[in-house]
Structures are given as C-alpha cells and as structure tokens.
Amino acid sequence: MNNLNYIHLNECHSTQETLKNQWEEGKITHPYLISTSKQTNGQGRRKTPWQHFPGSLAISFTWPLKEKISMVPLELGVFICEFFKERYQKNLYLKWPNDLLNQKNEKIGGIIMNLMTDILLVGIGINMFTTKERSHFPYKHAFIFDDKFELKEIFYTELYQYLLKRNQEFNSSIKEDWAKYCIHLNKNITIKDEFQESKGIFLGIGEHGEALISHNGKIEKVLSGSLFLN
C-alpha cells in the first residue's frame, strides 16, 4: 500500500470533520488516513459526543463506495475484530449497528460513516488502555488493554492497511461472519429511535444490514436505532 497518504495531528477537534473539510477542498485522494493523539470534539453516531480518553485511538479515513453502503460499518466491525484477534489475541464483539464491545457487554469503541458524492468517510474511536480519567459516557465502557499501550504512528497505518486488504479479499456474505462476533445474537433486545420501539429476539442482519427481530411469530426488519439488551 505504497500510495497511502497519511497525516498525524497532535490535537484536533475531530478527525472526521478534518477529513471531510480536506476532501471537500480537493486536497486529498484515496486512500487517505488521519489520526490524532487528542480529539477535543469527537462525535459518534447521530452526533452524540465521543469522549477521548488519553491514549485512545481516533482515526478517520477514506473508503471506497459500495453498492450496499449500509453494510460498510458492519463489515468494518468484523475486520476490526479480526485485526485485534490476529495481532494481539484480544477478543472484541459487535453490537448492532456499529459498536465494539468486550465480553461483559461494555463499550470499547464505535464506527461512524459519512457519505460524500464519490467516497465514504469512516471514523473509528477505540478505548485502548485503562485510564483513571473520569468518564462522561452514559453507558458502561471498558478498554482493550489493561496496561498502557503505546500508540505509535505505525499502528494507525497498519490498522488501515489491514482493513483495506481485508476489503479487497472479502468476496462472500458478511452476515455469517458478523453473526460470529455479535454479542446479542438470539437474545431479547429492544431497538429504539425517535419514532418507534421494537422488541424481540435478535436473529441477525439482513441483506442491507438491517436488524432482523422475531416477535410474536413474525420477523420485523429494523433499519436504524439504538439497541439495548433486555
């Protein structure tokens, strides 16, 4: 991946906003990666604030357009789980639609995505190692490593190159692989958004990444929302 373009910022408001601005100004080409040591105004899905702990991973990068764009965060979730399992023997799990968890159902990270006219811009935030800093998260959270993990710049490029490589190799349905990492498969869940609430047994994901829920003998398809284990 010799043509990879990459910059590391000591501090920025948001890697996603920085990447978006540079793309709109025509300053960058794919593949492009931005990382930062300190993100002061990071955002998760639906513009929710994302707290950046010291030593956490915060990156944004370009990603090629696909026919089923809604599947991209789910695919990337699988690839990230594979990366940490292969390289560091760390087991991560997935919560629909874009959360990275540990086996205790504590949030470790998340994935966001923005669609531009000719490219996808992806952001990933991951809590890397334990810190005593007070959390402002309204949910249980955790870290991948118990001891301090030194985030050298080569780590960011290694992760991005791994994701690009897996994307090129992958040629089958993501549904089965995603289910292997899903922490709430076949469990009672509730999915809420601003308009409705759906409850039932989580069966997996559909062809476009929608949640499949069994309730009263019927299967309901949910396209978006926040998932909670009952």
Side-chain angles (χ1 to χ4, degrees):
M1 209 67 68
N2 296 325
N3 61 339
L4 173 65
N5 301 295
Y6 170 57
I7 61 169
H8 178 80
L9 304 172
N10 291 328
E11 181 177 329
C12 73
H13 291 301
S14 163
T15 59
Q16 190 71 180
E17 284 301 314
T18 301
L19 180 63
K20 181 181 178 181
N21 292 339
Q22 293 194 5
W23 184 265
E24 290 177 337
E25 293 170 5
K27 294 180 178 180
I28 59 177
T29 58
H30 175 73
Y32 199 91
L33 169 68
I34 292 177
S35 64
T36 185
S37 298
K38 183 178 181 180
Q39 187 170 235
T40 59
N41 191 33
Q43 294 182 337
R45 196 165 57 98
R46 297 181 176 178
K47 304 296 183 180
T48 55
W50 176 262
Q51 182 178 355
H52 184 95
F53 291 106
S56 291
L57 179 143
I59 61 174
S60 288
F61 52 81
T62 57
W63 197 256
L65 286 176
K66 289 194 170 187
E67 181 180 352
K68 297 179 181 178
I69 294 174
S70 56
M71 291 295 288
V72 170
L74 303 168
E75 292 174 345
L76 285 168
V78 171
F79 300 158
I80 292 169
C81 288
E82 291 175 342
F83 174 82
F84 280 99
K85 188 172 184 178
E86 292 178 13
R87 304 293 173 90
Y88 300 98
Q89 294 74 57
K90 295 294 183 179
N91 293 317
L92 303 185
Y93 300 89
L94 301 172
K95 181 166 77 73
W96 185 89
N98 70 327
D99 287 342
L100 300 163
L101 309 177
N102 65 9
Q103 61 183 357
K104 297 179 181 179
N105 195 35
E106 297 167 327
K107 186 167 179 176
I108 282 177
I111 303 164
I112 62 171
M113 181 181 72
N114 282 299
L115 172 62
M116 308 299 285
T117 55
D118 52 355
I119 201 77
L120 294 174
L121 305 182
V122 177
I124 297 175
I126 299 178
N127 302 331
M128 294 298 289
F129 63 85
T130 304
T131 175
K132 294 181 180 179
E133 181 173 313
R134 183 179 178 182
S135 169
H136 302 298
F137 287 138
Y139 43 77
K140 292 182 179 180
H141 66 281
F143 304 84
I144 294 181
F145 299 96
D146 294 328
D147 300 321
K148 186 172 182 178
F149 181 89
E150 188 176 357
L151 266 175
K152 298 180 179 179
E153 290 186 19
I154 192 173
F155 177 88
Y156 301 108
T157 56
E158 180 186 30
L159 173 59
Y160 186 37
Q161 289 173 334
Y162 179 91
L163 298 177
L164 289 169
K165 182 173 180 289
R166 285 294 288 116
N167 184 57
Q168 292 176 345
E169 295 172 346
F170 198 79
N171 56 11
S172 60
S173 172
I174 195 69
K175 294 190 295 181
E176 290 77 15
D177 283 350
W178 189 89
K180 294 176 185 176
Y181 293 101
C182 177
I183 201 167
H184 50 80
L185 188 67
N186 299 321
K187 294 184 179 180
N188 275 298
I189 57 92
T190 298
I191 298 178
K192 301 178 181 179
D193 65 17
E194 54 187 318
F195 302 109
Q196 65 180 10
E197 178 177 298
S198 302
K199 293 185 177 182
I201 304 296
F202 188 91
L203 301 179
I205 56 175
E207 292 296 326
H208 296 276
E210 67 274 24
L212 303 179
I213 302 174
S214 175
H215 182 67
N216 292 334
K218 297 181 180 180
I219 296 179
E220 181 181 358
K221 296 182 179 181
V222 181
L223 297 175
S224 65
S226 297
L227 185 147
F228 304 90
L229 275 74
N230 296 338

